[in-house]
């Protein structure tokens, strides 16, 4: 089933990335962003960052970057 671009944009605008990511990754506030351990790689120091204002996450350890929908696709295998 394919969703319209308008519908997907509405989801991106309404749902904070940190809320969805926080269900899988323990996040802590770091300035304007949230930081946590990568859900994609085993690590000891946080290199995974979420920015709600810009609507994206970035994982420096794996180089993965995206929005709330991309995170769900990557972690849930959808």
């Amino acid at each position: 089933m394919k969703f319209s671009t308008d519908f997907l944009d509405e989801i991106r605008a309404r749902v904070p990335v940190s809320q969805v990511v926080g269900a899988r990754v323990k996040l802590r506030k770091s300035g304007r962003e949230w930081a946590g351990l990568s859900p994609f790689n085993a690590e000891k120091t946080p290199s995974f960052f979420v920015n709600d204002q810009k609507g994206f996450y970035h994982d420096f350890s794996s180089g993965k970057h995206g929005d709330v929908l991309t995170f769900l696709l990557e972690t849930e295998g959808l």
Side-chain angles (χ1 to χ4, degrees):
M1 175 181 231
K2 186 171 177 146
F3 296 105
S4 71
T5 306
D6 293 337
F7 177 71
L8 297 176
D9 289 341
E10 185 72 23
I11 291 174
R12 288 181 187 105
R14 287 187 181 202
V15 179
V17 182
S18 63
Q19 183 179 13
V20 175
V21 172
R24 282 193 147 282
V25 179
K26 184 178 179 182
L27 297 174
R28 65 173 172 73
K29 192 76 167 157
S30 177
R32 292 183 181 176
E33 298 181 333
W34 296 88
L37 299 177
S38 172
F40 308 112
N41 294 323
E43 61 184 9
K44 294 181 182 178
T45 57
S47 69
F48 183 79
F49 293 90
V50 176
N51 188 317
D52 283 332
Q53 293 173 341
K54 295 180 181 178
F56 68 83
Y57 70 88
H58 186 78
D59 184 7
F60 287 96
S61 66
S62 68
K64 294 186 179 191
H65 176 89
D67 60 20
V68 66
L69 300 174
T70 307
F71 181 79
L72 290 173
L73 290 172
E74 300 251 347
T75 57
E76 300 293 329
L78 301 173

